[in-house]
Amino acid sequence: MERLRVTGGASLRGSVHVAGAKNSSLKLMAATLLSEGRSTLHDVPTITDVDYMGELLRRLGADVVRTNGTVVIDVPDKIAHEAPYELVRRLRASICVLGPLVARCGAADVALPGGDAIGSRGLDMHIAGLERLGAHVEVQHGYVVARAPKGLRGAMIGLDFPSVGATENILMAAVLAEGETVLDNVAREPEIVDICQMLVDMGAKIEGAGTSTLHVQGVERLKPSEHTTVPDRIVAGTWAVAALMTRGDITVANARHTHLELVLEKLMAAGAVVETLAEGGFRVAMSGRPRAIDVVTLPYPGFPTDLQPMVVALNALADGTAMITENVYEARFMFVNELARLGADVRIDGHHAVVRGRESLSGAPVVATDIRAGAGLVLAGLVAEGETLVSAVHHIDRGYPDFVGQLTQLGADVSREPDPDRFED
Ligand code: UD1
């Protein structure tokens, strides 16, 4: 186990390049299972979650070769249909092989991912959607067991909530179902548009990507694809908040400002100067103390829940009091106890957090409870007086490629070291 030693005080300045999105890459990798043959994915981030997904695809019979940002996946004609617990528990997103496996093999045994530090994260909509497509689905011995020996049939499906994972799983099953599927109240995240684009390139017939309704005309087979992953808007947003908190000036290259409209608007309301760049990407600069900003998390195009820990950290030292409302994950405020160790004044009431800005925070040992909480704590450490030790850094490695390298390049005083107090669980 390792930890980060963050010494507060530096103002981050310079340029960072954002790689492809974690939340897209993992699903694009799963989508390659839908066709026999060699698919190539570019701009895949160098993060451990991608390693885990690669391992899972290998277990299913694919050959996966990764060279820097490019992943080449060779999928054989016959693939296995069991995603075992020891792999799924390490990567909750491995549930996204469920749809492709049922569509391709007529059978899937995918371990239930189990508990998670940010909430219960149910699978009811994934399961109901696959059942509407004609699969028989049961939970047995800790596995989602889905069977469709005669193949899937298109159907009208309405989601109770625009779940990202359920949209992806049902979509990936529907592209090979017989006939038309109308999928209503779907997620509209840029990562959904990205996967739709890849599926269309593979030969799928999908209309409505980026809207609330997807029309899918099933096809008999798909072909492999070469695809470049959409840039990671959450990593880009993290850099934007870092610029603001440290009163710095960061150019975020390869980011798409159109995917962060609401976030950048909020940061401007806090006092940042935001400039979109002709060559792509944007620049965020800040002088003086940020003003408090209220934030309500919602499915895209609402404010992303994945940036909620960063705005709580930002408000912890802003001028004024902010109300943060978390509508996506019930337990996502858990990390606030760690932030309080740095001196933050945050009161939680259900899914609301009231953050009273302090003039300063003070460094302390804290524990990253998940990827985004980890990034939020590092940002807080950058502006806290003295040293902050962020342990369980493996969470951050799941989602931020070369975080320490990029922070250092921007002038932060951050280093990685063995954590004598913690052991791998
Ligand atoms: C994805 C992202 C995650 C992001 C989230 C919301 C990946 C790997 N992860 O997660 O980073 O925070 O979208 O933008 O892409 N729900 C149910 N039943 C279901 C499905 C979901 O109750 O069948 C609930 C979940 O418990 C959660 C909410 O819906 O409270 C949102 O979940 P969902 O949109 O599915 O998020 P994920 O796909 O898990």
Side-chain angles (χ1 to χ4, degrees):
M1 294 287 263
E2 290 185 311
R3 67 184 179 191
L4 298 185
R5 183 178 293 270
V6 185
T7 307
S11 179
L12 300 198
R13 285 168 195 281
S15 177
V16 273
H17 181 92
V18 173
K22 166 181 95 71
N23 288 353
S24 213
S25 300
L26 301 173
K27 324 306 173 61
L28 299 174
M29 289 174 78
T32 65
L33 292 171
L34 286 164
S35 154
E36 181 194 350
R38 172 174 295 189
S39 285
T40 304
L41 303 176
H42 299 290
D43 224 353
V44 176
T46 310
I47 50 174
T48 48
D49 271 11
V50 166
D51 296 331
Y52 295 148
M53 182 55 89
E55 239 176 273
L56 176 56
L57 296 188
R58 278 189 206 107
R59 187 70 73 93
L60 294 169
D63 187 32
V64 182
V65 177
R66 178 166 159 185
T67 322
N68 301 321
T70 297
V71 179
V72 178
I73 303 170
D74 268 298
V75 180
D77 177 28
K78 288 255 178 303
I79 52 175
H81 65 261
E82 188 187 332
Y85 183 53
E86 76 262 23
L87 294 181
V88 175
R89 69 191 288 257
R90 284 200 281 171
L91 176 65
R92 197 180 186 285
S94 29
I95 195 68
C96 69
V97 298
L98 180 62
L101 289 180
V102 189
R104 188 70 204 292
C105 312
D109 293 14
V110 180
L112 282 167
D116 181 301
I118 60 172
S120 60
R121 303 181 87 169
L123 294 176
D124 50 317
M125 287 182 267
H126 301 236
I127 292 174
L130 294 178
E131 282 178 332
R132 294 279 300 158
L133 293 174
H136 177 78
V137 189
E138 274 181 26
V139 174
Q140 285 173 0
H141 307 294
Y143 277 72
V144 180
V145 176
R147 294 290 178 267
K150 294 191 183 128
L152 299 169
R153 273 174 286 99
M156 303 278 291
I157 302 170
L159 298 182
D160 292 343
F161 174 91
S163 151
V164 172
T167 301
E168 289 161 343
N169 254 330
I170 302 167
L171 170 69
M172 286 192 274
V175 289
L176 286 180
E178 193 187 325
E180 193 187 19
T181 297
V182 180
L183 194 45
D184 217 359
N185 197 25
V186 294
R188 292 182 280 162
E189 269 70 359
E191 295 77 29
I192 301 281
V193 176
D194 200 28
I195 196 170
C196 284
Q197 279 168 354
M198 181 166 122
L199 290 170
V200 166
D201 185 54
M202 292 172 79
K205 295 200 172 124
I206 304 169
E207 275 174 25
T211 74
S212 293
T213 308
L214 293 173
H215 289 262
V216 182
Q217 193 67 49
V219 295
E220 257 184 49
R221 61 176 49 82
L222 295 171
K223 57 183 179 4
S225 163
E226 178 159 3
H227 183 86
T228 300
T229 318
V230 68
D232 198 313
R233 65 196 161 95
I234 305 300
V235 172
T238 304
W239 292 124
V241 178
L244 203 144
M245 286 177 71
T246 66
R247 305 183 188 188
D249 187 339
I250 302 181
T251 296
V252 190
N254 193 41
R256 299 212 185 139
H257 69 90
T258 48
H259 292 169
L260 282 165
E261 261 171 20
L262 186 55
V263 173
L264 295 175
E265 249 173 58
K266 286 282 174 188
L267 299 189
M268 284 192 273
V273 174
V274 176
E275 189 191 342
T276 58
L277 305 173
E279 65 272 25
F282 52 81
R283 180 181 152 233
V284 178
M286 179 75 185
S287 52
R289 188 177 178 196
R291 287 188 289 275
I293 41 165
D294 292 340
V295 162
V296 177
T297 70
L298 281 171
Y300 189 84
F303 195 96
T305 173
D306 285 354
L307 286 174
Q308 180 256 96
M310 295 68 162
V311 291
V312 173
L314 160 65
N315 279 304
L317 47 64
D319 185 10
T321 298
M323 165 86 91
I324 310 293
T325 304
E326 174 56 62
N327 287 317
V328 183
Y329 290 116
E330 74 265 30
R332 201 156 207 178
F333 284 135
M334 268 172 43
F335 84 103
V336 159
N337 294 331
E338 298 299 313
L339 203 58
R341 292 184 44 72
L342 303 179
D345 179 353
V346 188
R347 303 285 158 89
I348 308 292
D349 184 2
H351 65 130
H352 302 289
V354 176
V355 191
R356 292 190 178 84
R358 286 252 161 98
E359 292 269 354
S360 64
L361 300 175
S362 62
V366 290
V367 182
T369 46
D370 69 69
I371 309 176
R372 310 302 171 189
L377 289 168
V378 171
L379 297 196
L382 289 172
V383 291
E385 284 166 17
E387 280 189 340
T388 297
L389 296 169
V390 182
S391 52
V393 65
H394 61 280
H395 284 300
I396 301 175
D397 296 336
R398 291 186 43 209
Y400 288 85
D402 191 23
F403 200 41
V404 172
Q406 291 200 306
L407 281 165
T408 308
Q409 179 189 325
L410 293 170
D413 186 349
V414 182
S415 59
R416 207 177 163 106
E417 59 187 37
D419 189 342
D421 301 327
R422 291 178 72 89
F423 302 95
E424 197 88 47
D425 55 12

